[in-house]
Amino acid sequence: MEAPAAHNPAESTRDGAGARITVTSPEQMQELGRTLASLLRAGDLVMLNGELGAGKTTLTRGLGEGLGVRGAVTSPTFVIARVHPSLVDGPPLVHVDAYRLGGGLDEMEDLDLDVSLSDSVIVVEWGEGKVEELTDDRLHVVIHRAVGDTTDEVRHVTLTGLGERWATAGLDALAG
């Protein structure tokens, strides 16, 4: 598999079931999502963390394109969750924004993520400390960016696969 356009060999490192990738534009973040989508399958839980404006929804937009789902992928901040059915006979994308949810899995129980997990790809923005109990096999994506008053588009994306599912999923190929 080719590395995403976001790949910069001088700035990427490999670390077991994971990868570190430097992205320099929103277009590259979206391309990273499209490339990552090729590794995803029904039953996958992807947890996205990063500052406001880091690119979590942009990455998810790329995931949606790569998975071939219906509907524009936008931030679900005020609706909490959106379901995007597949247009290509693949798994639907369930996109959750847990930013406004304070509690753990109990508070998210009404979303029935545990029911959707087996046949969907579930992406949870701000999910750390809230959805880990859904499965031992999950992908953590952390997007680091400069904070404060800056126009810097550089992002450092760290992908860490946890559990047996991700041990051989090929995340290291994303880093080149």
Side-chain angles (χ1 to χ4, degrees):
M1 169 180 17
E2 291 185 19
H7 173 63
N8 180 340
E11 298 180 20
S12 297
T13 61
R14 295 179 189 174
D15 184 20
R20 257 185 73 82
I21 301 165
T22 297
V23 175
T24 61
S25 70
E27 294 78 20
Q28 287 183 343
M29 184 67 77
Q30 200 162 331
E31 177 62 24
L32 175 59
R34 284 190 291 270
T35 303
L36 178 58
S38 69
L39 300 178
L40 297 177
R41 63 185 188 208
D44 284 342
L45 172 64
V46 180
M47 296 172 45
L48 301 179
N49 291 287
E51 297 290 325
L52 286 171
K56 296 178 296 295
T57 300
T58 301
L59 179 70
T60 306
R61 189 172 299 119
L63 289 173
E65 289 174 9
L67 290 170
V69 300
R70 184 178 73 213
V73 174
T74 59
S75 178
T77 298
F78 297 105
V79 295
I80 310 299
R82 293 188 201 290
V83 177
H84 297 275
S86 177
L87 295 171
V88 295
D89 201 29
L93 172 67
V94 178
H95 184 197
V96 179
D97 187 329
Y99 182 73
R100 297 184 313 137
L101 302 177
L105 193 56
D106 290 342
E107 188 172 341
M108 298 187 71
E109 199 169 275
D110 290 340
L111 299 177
D112 286 331
L113 295 180
D114 53 339
V115 173
S116 302
L117 183 59
S118 64
D119 62 354
S120 304
V121 170
I122 297 181
V123 176
V124 182
E125 296 186 27
W126 305 97
E128 193 168 337
K130 299 173 183 169
V131 296
E132 288 92 340
E133 294 175 26
L134 283 173
T135 179
D136 291 333
D137 296 310
R138 58 191 176 273
L139 178 62
H140 286 246
V141 179
V142 179
I143 305 171
H144 301 277
R145 72 170 183 95
V147 293
D149 187 20
T150 179
T151 58
D152 187 3
E153 294 290 341
V154 174
R155 306 293 194 261
H156 301 283
V157 182
T158 304
L159 299 101
T160 306
L162 300 175
E164 191 175 315
R165 153 72 176 110
W166 292 101
T168 58
L171 288 174
D172 57 341
L174 295 174

